[in-house]
Amino acid sequence: MVRFAMRWRPARSVAMVAALAIGCGDPAARVRLVALGGPACRPMSANQVRVTSYGPSGEHTVALGLDEVVAIGSFAADTEQIGVEVLIGGGEIGAEGKSAPLAFGALADGAAIPVLMAPPDGFCELPAMTEARAQPVVAPAGDGALVVGGMGPSGPLSTAEYYDPTTASFVPVDVPPGLADPQGFTGTALATLPDGRVALIGGPQRVFVVFDPRVRRFVTDPTVIGPWAFHAAIATGDQEVLVAGGCMTAPPCAGPPQMPRAVRYELPHLTAPELSAMLPPALRIGARLFDLGEQGDGRRHWLLAGGTGTAGGAARFALDDPAAEVVPGGHAQTAALDGGAVLSVFGDDAAPPPGDGSASVFAPDAAAARTIAGAPARQGVRLIALEDGRVVGFGGAAMEVVTYDPTRDAWSSRRAMSSDQTGVLTAPSLVRLTDGTVLVVGGAVSARAWLYRPSLVGPASGSVTVVPVSDTGRGVLTASDPQTVTRVAGQLPAWLLTTPADAAMARALVGGPRIATGSVSAFARVLSGGVALIAQQTAPGHALVAELAPGSPPRLVRLAGGDAHELCAGTDAVAFDPATPVTLRLAVTARDARLSIGEREVLACSIAAGERGAWGIASLGAGARLAVDSVTVAR
């Protein structure tokens, strides 16, 4: 158990002080919560501070007066993140922030825990970058971000810098000798490796080199790999990067694609890359690669989508496929959605004003992108997925934040809720950091930079409830395939999931928590067919599923390797009345799983520990229909 003391001092840069002791007899180790951000990011009219610890045992919140020092005995040593909310008049939140993921019980004496404070759904302007640059290439690097190249006042840049979240500032990064080029890093791609390092691939230098945020420098010698430009790159493992799309020269990138195939580079063998799937003959400039995860066939799939050049289609493939599958119906800007789907929206920035807001979703295994509600017509917008399941876009002449909510299949557009504003941005560079904030840079030839603070809901959240028919709830429920959802308006609104005739389930996942143990509870009406509760989903083909099919005993199965492995089953057949809502609950510990209908436990068995993943609900069986009133995921 941790003993914890805190004081909020709004007039000082170090806003919080904490002391903790691990174990009953251990000496106290002192740590500090350091609130970062300028005056506009930390309200001076605060009247209360709330501090929340997030961990396997759930959320624990303590409210403090401004000058109060309180010993808190409920913050566990296994705390994974710490959130801070500053309350102003009327009980509103004037600023909030969250630490990066941490091992709270292992912190050294004197350690500082930085928390960037900003108005909710607002910007906090950061100290300037080390150089003015437009449209640099950016990628997560540890808890911070690597910023490379871009267009400077005098032309393309061959420089780099690192955003340091511990000080909320930028520091220059030395670029290896020989990589300076008149075209800078134009057309270069970055790929973040699982350990936080970042691979820089291609561009005018035609090299592969690795940056390590722990030492804040490039740590490998540049290796010449060939002419890649404006391509997509993504890590496929600890020591491997997948590259696809783009062209042979940068700029003007007017020729054919660099390679007809996707290519895999292993870090120990960069000069001997391995060819992957054959891609369709199309020019894709600035597309993105998405990891769709393990699918129903047991193989991990990838999607190359978005960008400009050949309009519309995407390419979906497994690494050992002879050829990629063409999936038509996409648009220029893309972002990941929960459940293995990919959002696609907006047209080419070069199209005539006001632009195109057409939107679609690439659903797992769907033969074509599903058309969804259109976004406001914009040009120069760039998208990024948030931890809570929403997607936001920045840029365009309207100077508004564009938000997509998949629960309601609805777009909103409004000014950020902060005194700090970005002004007009054109194609800014975005990266989501490990504390859930979004770094925004490079929307003009400028050194200005901002952090955007969305909801604190994220992977470590203790409890999230979604009421999908509510217009005011902040929870997000994302269907893997938007075509499986019907939204009924009127006096008796409904959110209906329907399983396609050729599918086993239609799933919807709750945004935020990514946990291995906990519970998912749902209040729903089973209109036809059955219902399933989903736990530990890391991909469509990898999840723990509690199945309740009418006329059969309930059973618990683990989807993995292309098969459904039954772990255990109940004894009594289940039945549902379409007119009567039921409460369902699946609770999973590191040792067992228990399934209940109302107050009645219908299944219990021992299971092996699982992986952290998403949790949710599904209609079960071909043609099954399920009216979802609410879903709660809790640790």
Side-chain angles (χ1 to χ4, degrees), residues 77-461:
D78 61 357
T79 293
E80 298 171 344
Q81 275 186 299
I82 294 176
V84 179
E85 297 167 300
V86 180
L87 275 61
I88 56 176
E92 294 185 6
I93 298 174
E96 62 185 1
K98 189 168 62 174
S99 72
L102 51 83
F104 192 54
L107 291 174
D109 190 29
I113 304 173
V115 179
L116 192 288
M117 305 298 294
D121 298 316
F123 291 107
C124 176
E125 185 159 5
L126 297 168
M129 291 188 288
T130 62
E131 290 188 71
R133 55 180 87 228
Q135 291 85 47
V137 188
V138 298
D143 291 332
L146 178 64
V147 182
V148 172
M151 185 65 66
S154 301
L157 297 172
S158 296
T159 58
E161 51 192 291
Y162 175 71
Y163 171 69
D164 181 355
T166 65
T167 59
S169 62
F170 294 86
V171 294
V173 171
D174 291 333
V175 172
L179 295 192
D181 189 278
Q183 297 181 61
F185 285 107
T186 303
T188 296
L190 299 177
T192 302
L193 300 170
D195 62 4
R197 294 178 300 157
V198 180
L200 183 153
I201 307 113
Q205 296 83 355
R206 302 185 178 188
V207 297
F208 192 116
V209 62
V210 176
F211 171 81
D212 190 337
R214 292 169 295 186
V215 294
R216 299 181 187 177
R217 62 183 177 86
F218 289 94
V219 293
T220 63
D221 293 329
T223 300
V224 176
I225 59 169
W228 289 99
F230 299 103
H231 47 293
I234 190 172
T236 57
D238 294 341
Q239 298 287 319
E240 185 179 89
V241 174
L242 176 68
V243 181
C247 60
M248 298 181 66
T249 58
C253 211
Q258 145 69 11
M259 289 284 283
R261 292 179 177 271
V263 176
R264 298 159 64 182
Y265 289 95
E266 286 189 273
L267 269 63
H269 311 290
L270 292 175
T271 58
E274 184 175 346
L275 298 181
S276 187
M278 181 74 72
L279 299 174
L283 183 63
R284 287 181 173 81
I285 307 304
R288 296 179 63 187
L289 276 165
F290 294 90
D291 182 359
L292 304 182
E294 183 180 328
Q295 302 298 302
D297 61 4
R299 299 187 303 157
R300 191 174 173 188
H301 288 201
W302 308 85
L303 185 76
L304 178 67
T308 59
T310 302
R316 183 168 56 207
F317 57 94
L319 295 181
D320 58 354
D321 278 345
E325 174 190 6
V326 177
V327 188
H331 305 281
Q333 301 304 319
T334 51
L337 293 172
D338 288 342
V342 174
L343 175 68
S344 176
V345 63
F346 300 122
D348 192 329
D349 289 340
D356 181 5
S358 298
S360 59
V361 167
F362 293 105
D365 293 332
R370 310 297 200 193
T371 299
I372 61 169
R378 295 283 191 273
Q379 291 174 299
V381 176
R382 295 297 180 264
L383 303 177
I384 195 159
L386 301 180
E387 290 184 330
D388 68 0
R390 292 178 174 86
V391 172
V392 292
F394 304 96
M399 296 185 291
E400 294 178 329
V401 179
V402 179
T403 304
Y404 178 66
D405 183 345
T407 313
R408 297 158 186 84
D409 186 27
W411 296 84
S412 61
S413 182
R414 68 176 187 178
R415 288 288 185 100
M417 305 297 287
S418 57
S419 57
D420 283 354
Q421 296 287 329
T422 64
V424 175
L425 299 176
T426 301
S429 301
L430 313 175
V431 61
R432 194 183 79 198
L433 305 179
T434 57
D435 67 353
T437 57
V438 178
L439 177 65
V440 182
V441 298
V445 181
S446 169
R448 296 181 70 188
W450 300 265
L451 281 181
Y452 176 77
R453 175 71 265 175
S455 161
L456 295 185
V457 172
S461 292

Side-chain angles (χ1 to χ4, degrees), residues 518-533:
S519 66
V520 54
S521 303
F523 189 61
R525 285 179 295 129
V526 184
L527 304 179
S528 63
V531 59
L533 296 178

